[in-house]
Amino acid sequence: MKAKLFVLKMPFEDGPGKMWICSHCALIEGALSANPHWESAIDIHRIDFPKPRSEVVAILGEERQWLPVLVLDKNHTITDPIEIINYLAKEFGGASVHP
């Protein structure tokens, strides 16, 4: 199974007229743009902000909808954006997060 990366579509609305970005997802998007070859190595899903996030719920359950999330298998996920980026760099090559 290919790893699945879930990030929020941005910008998103949360409250009347309030537009936002997710700083964690934005960090991931920046790393994806610097490492475009990752897009062929993993399945990337950009999903809407409102819950329930059915694509994530179907894999991880309703209580685990935190984004971003890299799903390696049902029992192994990574939610920290820096850990996600460093994992992808280690597995597929490319730039990781500078210490």
Side-chain angles (χ1 to χ4, degrees):
M1 167 184 131
K2 260 185 169 180
K4 296 181 185 310
L5 175 64
F6 293 92
V7 294
L8 290 171
K9 288 181 192 172
M10 298 179 283
F12 58 86
E13 187 173 351
D14 186 21
K18 300 232 181 207
M19 298 304 291
W20 306 92
I21 64 164
C22 167
S23 60
H24 294 154
C25 294
L27 182 61
I28 298 291
E29 290 288 6
L32 289 170
S33 70
N35 298 285
H37 62 283
W38 291 352
E39 296 211 24
S40 63
I42 61 174
D43 290 330
I44 300 170
H45 302 266
R46 292 171 176 92
I47 61 176
D48 293 323
F49 174 76
K51 292 181 181 176
R53 299 174 179 141
S54 58
E55 290 180 74
V56 178
V57 170
I59 298 170
L60 300 176
E62 195 162 342
E63 67 285 349
R64 295 176 64 196
Q65 296 182 57
W66 174 264
L67 297 181
V69 63
L70 179 65
V71 180
L72 304 174
D73 62 49
K74 187 173 182 169
N75 297 312
H76 189 195
T77 62
I78 304 172
T79 56
D80 179 88
I82 292 172
E83 289 179 25
I84 291 171
I85 293 166
N86 289 340
Y87 174 86
L88 294 174
K90 180 180 174 191
E91 289 297 310
F92 306 112
S96 57
V97 177
H98 188 274

